[in-house]
Amino acid sequence: MSNYKEHRIAVIGAGVMGTNIAATAIGHGLPVVLVDVDEHVVEEARTTTLNHVRHAQLMGALPADRPLGTLTTSVSVEDAADTTAVVEAIVESPEVKAKLLTELSALVAAGTPLISNTSGIPIDELADWVTRPADLLGTHFMNPTYLIKMVEVIRGPRTGDAALESVADLLTAMGRQPVVVRDAPGFVTSRLLHPMLNDAARIVGAGTATVEDVDALMSGCLGHPTGPLRTADLIGLDNLADSLRVLHERTGDERCRPCDLLLDKVRAGHLGRKSGRGFYDYGKALS
């Protein structure tokens, strides 16, 4: 049984996934340092994270026998130095991730797991940028993290046993169920899901069906919980487009080339629930 009191994590990146991961950890009693680029971003992220925690409590998704963990916000990655694990949850850009992982690798103690919450970049590609590749592995949390218990864990060719065991223990302490897969572009979930979301957008763009009808058919006929286009809005259409580009560049699969309608929405700033409008209109940005 994992002891949640042994863990103190840093989450780098206070966007949709960073605040979700932080809320899940706090809700299970783990102290969290949440880091992003400026004070305004981290103050908004503090409110968002605590709102996630309250929602999780209302949904009965948190253990009743644990006090909430503390949340510390910071604009300096140096505040991650004394944590027991670091989760990178920034934009899906290999160059930006590589720069951050290089900095983190020089900062944290040997044996501290460096966890990339990438949706598709191969872990072994990122491992070229860290001092100790054995400490690096991937996780792919789903949104909302505090409600979805299963987490895809990606073991790169150079990931060590100690890092894998440490992250499995951390996820157990956070009430998550890890499923370990081998390294590949998109791993399992993104490799299957993201081309399907792109196809759904392409069908709408071609005029075959409306957004609502695509989601209704996928939900009513094929059992998709929310429909692919509502799912795309929840992921963030910019994040989806970035992930698709990563997959297309590394696999050559034309289904992964972001379709025109998806790119048009990103250019218009219609990014999904977080911006208040995507394939659907939500009235206001998601907090």
Side-chain angles (χ1 to χ4, degrees):
M1 187 69 160
S2 176
N3 183 356
Y4 70 95
K5 295 180 180 179
E6 296 175 355
H7 300 280
R8 180 174 184 267
I9 72 169
V11 179
I12 315 298
V16 171
M17 291 312 302
T19 54
N20 264 263
I21 294 166
T24 306
I26 292 164
H28 286 80
L30 282 64
V32 174
V33 178
L34 181 61
V35 181
D36 212 301
V37 292
D38 63 50
E39 292 289 353
H40 177 69
V41 170
V42 295
E43 280 308 308
E44 285 194 347
R46 170 180 287 278
T47 300
T48 300
T49 301
L50 296 178
N51 284 342
H52 288 331
V53 172
R54 284 190 285 272
H55 185 224
Q57 289 172 322
L58 289 171
M59 297 294 290
L62 301 179
D65 59 345
R66 295 185 192 177
L68 295 178
T70 57
L71 174 62
T72 303
T73 55
S74 173
V75 295
S76 173
V77 294
E78 293 183 0
D79 288 328
D82 62 347
T83 55
T84 60
V86 181
V87 181
E88 169 272 304
I90 62 172
V91 294
E92 192 70 357
S93 162
E95 295 78 15
V96 178
K97 286 184 185 292
K99 181 179 179 181
L100 175 62
L101 289 170
T102 298
E103 185 176 2
L104 290 171
S105 181
L107 179 68
V108 301
T112 304
L114 292 176
I115 307 163
S116 177
N117 192 56
T118 175
S119 61
I121 303 169
I123 298 305
D124 206 44
E125 183 178 323
L126 296 173
D128 288 338
W129 296 91
V130 300
T131 306
R132 297 172 297 276
D135 291 342
L136 180 70
L137 69 165
T139 59
H140 193 193
F141 287 87
M142 303 297 158
N143 181 16
T145 296
Y146 50 87
L147 296 181
I148 299 177
K149 289 188 173 294
M150 192 164 287
V151 177
E152 186 177 28
V153 177
I154 305 95
R155 180 173 192 169
R158 291 178 273 178
T159 302
D161 290 342
L164 192 67
E165 291 168 6
S166 179
V167 170
D169 189 72
L170 170 63
L171 291 172
T172 301
M174 292 171 63
R176 306 303 95 182
Q177 179 184 344
V179 176
V180 180
V181 302
R182 294 177 65 181
D183 199 21
F187 326 120
V188 176
T189 51
S190 294
R191 190 68 181 90
L192 293 173
L193 177 64
H194 289 190
M196 187 267 282
L197 303 184
N198 198 35
D199 284 343
R202 189 177 287 114
I203 286 169
V204 172
T208 305
T210 65
V211 168
E212 292 80 6
D213 286 346
V214 168
D215 277 354
L217 288 166
M218 289 297 291
S219 179
C221 296
L222 298 179
H224 194 283
T226 60
L229 298 172
R230 284 194 185 278
T231 299
D233 277 353
L234 187 59
I235 290 171
L237 303 190
D238 53 340
N239 296 332
L240 176 59
D242 287 343
S243 177
L244 284 165
R245 288 190 189 97
V246 165
L247 289 172
H248 183 254
E249 289 168 0
R250 287 156 181 77
T251 67
D253 184 351
E254 283 301 307
R255 287 186 65 214
C256 297
R257 185 190 295 274
C259 73
D260 290 342
L261 178 58
L262 177 61
L263 293 177
D264 287 346
K265 287 188 175 293
V266 173
R267 282 191 287 265
H270 302 160
L271 307 181
R273 291 193 67 188
K274 64 184 177 182
S275 70
R277 183 176 177 188
F279 287 104
Y280 293 87
D281 189 346
Y282 300 93
K284 62 179 180 178
L286 181 66
S287 62

